Amino acid sequence: MNIAFIAHDKKKELMVQFCIAYCGILSKHSLCGTGTTAKLISEATGLDVKRFLSGPQGGDQQIGARIAYNEIDLMLFFRDPLSANHYEPDTLNILRLCDQNNVPVATNVATAEVLVRGLENGDLAWRDIVNPKK
């Protein structure tokens, strides 16, 4: 499966720690992420994470386009709900795209753990039926 990572600045360390904890599961999949997030995950875990632009420079849109073209199967998007940010429209757009395309998305570590454990157990196989690859 293709898994995308995005993390707001205050959540990047949490994303890295999560990826360290689940490195064994994640290593079996194709990974991508926005600039700094992908770099930090790769450096901390040794995982091969395709790196897009940073979020504010267009990385969010790059991942959004892949969601729209059915190239992302699961999204881990650790966002900071307490910080006012200028990129809220990008955040809402990505979440809307995930909803439109039936892409499971976790916006916090608790939900991410459920999704990754489900991925390990094969519980996300329904995606191949709902969204067949072209």
Side-chain angles (χ1 to χ4, degrees):
M1 287 203 162
N2 297 314
I3 303 172
F5 300 101
I6 301 175
H8 287 162
D9 289 343
K10 290 185 178 179
K11 299 293 182 171
K12 289 188 190 312
E13 182 58 30
L14 180 61
M15 178 68 83
V16 167
Q17 293 303 317
F18 180 86
C19 291
I20 290 170
Y22 289 99
C23 186
I25 298 169
L26 296 173
S27 67
K28 299 173 186 170
H29 301 278
S30 296
L31 311 175
C32 66
T34 52
T36 306
T37 302
K39 179 182 178 217
L40 291 171
I41 292 169
S42 184
E43 288 175 350
T45 63
L47 292 169
D48 182 23
V49 184
K50 179 177 173 67
R51 188 173 170 193
F52 295 120
L53 297 171
S54 71
Q57 293 179 342
D60 292 340
Q61 287 84 4
Q62 289 177 299
I63 290 178
R66 281 161 178 77
I67 293 168
Y69 281 100
N70 200 28
E71 296 172 358
I72 299 294
D73 299 302
L74 186 135
M75 163 91 66
L76 301 182
F77 186 174
F78 289 6
R79 55 193 200 114
D80 181 10
L82 300 178
S83 293
N85 58 58
H86 61 283
Y87 41 83
E88 190 66 24
D90 294 336
T91 299
L92 295 176
N93 187 44
I94 289 178
L95 295 175
R96 183 176 15 260
L97 284 166
C98 287
D99 288 343
Q100 288 174 336
N101 293 283
N102 290 313
V103 174
V105 59
T107 59
N108 59 60
V109 70
T111 307
E113 185 171 18
V114 169
L115 287 179
V116 170
R117 288 182 179 272
L119 181 64
E120 178 182 34
N121 294 332
D123 296 338
L124 297 178
W126 64 270
R127 291 232 350 109
D128 294 332
I129 297 167
V130 175
N131 294 318
K133 299 288 184 212
K134 295 176 182 162

